[in-house]
Amino acid sequence: MTMLDIINVPDPLLKTLSEPVEKVDDTLRQLMDNMLDTMYGAPGIGLAAIQVGVARRVIVLDVEGDDETKKPLYFVNPEVVWESPEISVYNEGCLSVPDHYAEVERPASVKIKYLDYDGKAQEQQVDGLLSTCIQHEIDHLDGIVFIDYLSRLKRNMIIKKVQKATKDTVVL
Ligand code: K1U
Ligand code: ZN
């Protein structure tokens, strides 16, 4: 099991526009496996490669929330090709903004196209928490963190608190 370091705001890497993957090969699958270990260990329900410092368009997810029934999902070069006009609101969190949550509005349902773990092209319509989480992770690939949807005042307050908490953390 390989645990990667997750970067926190205001690390400028989180503002990076990630590059498309050219080929789904064993090196990329190794990265996705390590990202999944890192996500489960955090714990979290999603992770984008840029959160572990890799500027490639790769995300992993598991929104099952039950240790017994793991359902890992891998998305390479994910693209939203359709958004529902209906909006949903979810109190989002982020492993790069530890211990802070805020309500974010997003399309309730989206259709995405992507390459799967084997590099096969897929298209899927998603809703509920999976839709929210995929959109949150695709935002990461475009350099957007959920606190970017908040007012500048709220965003800056959260960033300062995360910086302070990171400084105060003693690594044994
Ligand atoms: O940092 C990330 O991008 C992962 C993030 C995903 C996410 C959560 C909620 C709404 C949108 C996107 C997280 O996983 S935060 C942690 C979390 O939600 C969670 C942790 C343990 C159990 C259940 C949920
Ligand atoms: Zn996040």
Side-chain angles (χ1 to χ4, degrees), residues 86-144:
E86 296 82 24
I87 298 294
S88 81
V89 183
Y90 193 85
N91 197 32
E92 296 191 13
C94 181
L95 299 175
S96 297
V97 190
D99 302 322
H100 293 273
Y101 300 85
E103 290 196 337
V104 178
E105 288 185 8
R106 300 185 186 274
S109 177
V110 289
K111 191 185 274 185
I112 50 160
K113 63 176 200 183
Y114 61 98
L115 302 178
D116 66 16
Y117 192 80
D118 300 311
K120 194 167 167 235
Q122 303 282 357
E123 203 167 85
Q124 193 183 344
Q125 189 169 329
V126 291
D127 55 20
L129 180 56
L130 183 55
S131 170
T132 298
C133 197
I134 286 180
Q135 292 177 69
H136 173 116
E137 302 307 333
I138 292 177
D139 269 357
H140 276 303
L141 305 183
D142 293 328
I144 299 165

Side-chain angles (χ1 to χ4, degrees), residues 41-170:
I45 55 173
L47 193 70
I50 195 62
Q51 294 179 276
V52 291
V54 178
R56 286 281 176 260
R57 300 189 77 82
V58 180
I59 65 183
V60 296
L61 300 167
D62 187 340
V63 296
E64 288 301 302
D66 180 351
D67 278 354
E68 300 301 309
T69 53
K70 282 202 167 73
K71 198 178 166 203
L73 300 171
Y74 309 85
F75 300 87
V76 177
N77 297 341
E79 262 179 74
V80 174
V81 294
W82 174 83
E83 297 179 350
S84 70
E86 296 82 24
I87 298 294
S88 81
V89 183
Y90 193 85
N91 197 32
E92 296 191 13
C94 181
L95 299 175
S96 297
V97 190
D99 302 322
H100 293 273
Y101 300 85
E103 290 196 337
V104 178
E105 288 185 8
R106 300 185 186 274
S109 177
V110 289
K111 191 185 274 185
I112 50 160
K113 63 176 200 183
Y114 61 98
L115 302 178
D116 66 16
Y117 192 80
D118 300 311
K120 194 167 167 235
Q122 303 282 357
E123 203 167 85
Q124 193 183 344
Q125 189 169 329
V126 291
D127 55 20
L129 180 56
L130 183 55
S131 170
T132 298
C133 197
I134 286 180
Q135 292 177 69
H136 173 116
E137 302 307 333
I138 292 177
D139 269 357
H140 276 303
L141 305 183
D142 293 328
I144 299 165
V145 179
F146 81 98
I147 55 170
D148 293 333
Y149 295 114
L150 309 180
S151 70
R152 185 188 294 218
L153 184 70
K154 278 190 187 157
R155 181 166 61 250
N156 287 342
M157 268 174 43
I158 291 174
I159 289 171
K160 273 193 190 140
K161 284 184 182 168
V162 171
Q163 275 182 308
K164 185 172 183 321
T166 309
K167 268 192 210 126
D168 291 348
T169 302
V170 180

Side-chain angles (χ1 to χ4, degrees), residues 2-8 11 13-14 31 34-35 37-39 42 47-54 95-96 171:
T2 304
M3 302 291 279
L4 307 169
D5 285 337
I6 297 177
I7 58 174
N8 286 347
D11 191 315
L13 267 182
L14 289 167
L31 170 67
N34 293 344
M35 284 172 60
D37 287 346
T38 306
M39 182 196 83
L47 193 70
I50 195 62
Q51 294 179 276
V52 291
V54 178
L95 299 175
S96 297
V171 181

